[in-house]
Amino acid sequence: MIVISYALNKLLTAIARQHQMKERLTEEDMAGHALSDAERTALSAGDIGRLYELGANPYLIRRVFRRRFPI
Amino acid sequence: MAEIVAAALTAHAPLITGKPDVSRPEQRDRLYAGFHELRRRLAAARPDLLVMFVNDHLQNFAYDNLPAFCVGLAGSYEAPSPGGAGLMRLTPRTLRGHPEWAMALLEAGLAAGIDFAYSHDIESWDEMSVPLSFLLPEATIPVVTVYTNCAAPPLPLPRRCLEVGAFVGEFVRGRAAPPRVALIATGGLSHWVGTPETGRINPDWDHWALDHIARGDVAPLARLTWEEIERDGGNGGQEIRNWIALLGAVPGWKGEVLAYEPVAEWITGCATVWVHP
């Protein structure tokens, strides 16, 4: 079963389409998005591994949190 | 009737053009040489139209609307789009589409039970722009795109990609014009992008795929499951669907691998393959 979080992907798509890169997301970034507590925590921490587990698309994780990747 | 005068499979990793300086020079030079040889052969084949099997990276199709297969009806493409240009370090340029031909493909597909979506406005990123920066340095030939969802699972079966490609091949050959058509599929090979394994490359799987392509033995590729590709080729390896579609269009044709380099700095197993009868 493929895990998809529409809320995460909707938010990350919006940020990616503005060609913004982030270390972590702020409350302002997340305002108005129907995110779970776990999703908010992972976005606030820039926790790329946890975001993947929670169903964020890895291409979007890569684009938004590029600086979090060692390569 | 038209004929398929050239067919090629290539990598499209954005860093191929975006960060040539970080790769090992000998790897980069061998891969670039593969692209240059493809360009020479493609030019010699004198195509009138390029049909490209490519995939989106969520710049066009996000989670509000995700077609499995989509025909590009665009009259022109910015390649790359200004927004995508930074990562690829390519100067945006305009490529002509061929909306009449693409519309005929769309209509014929739907009439035959191939449920294509369609788009009049495609944002082009690395999937077109990186390989065409090598293969079509002068924007002289119109381009038609067939997009397959390779990046936002669940994805269409590789077997279905083979069938869709076979349909496109029959459609090409069944039209009087343009008379000389080239097929290009881009993506792959193994790479992990944005996952916990980001940076991994699996040359064993890449060679397995290339060996089958060299023999014209596409059936084992078409039998691959999403899980198998995810495990052995990574989420980026799912782009092999584009290659499988092209191979479906030219049954019995074999691949000549001009270059294969697992480029760690570009986090991708990169290949250029000439496909011939």
Side-chain angles (χ1 to χ4, degrees), chain B residues 147-161:
Chain B
Y147 276 80
T148 296
N149 180 13
C150 300
L155 309 178
L157 287 173
R159 189 184 73 216
R160 184 59 174 160
C161 299

Side-chain angles (χ1 to χ4, degrees), chain B residues 75-121:
Chain B
S76 65
Y77 296 84
E78 290 300 303
S81 70
L87 182 59
M88 289 161 252
R89 285 199 212 160
L90 290 172
T91 304
R93 61 187 178 135
T94 303
L95 300 177
R96 272 188 297 144
H98 198 320
E100 298 82 13
W101 194 94
M103 188 66 191
L105 172 66
L106 170 65
E107 288 191 40
L110 292 169
I114 306 281
D115 298 327
F116 288 127
Y118 60 94
S119 173
H120 287 271
D121 193 353

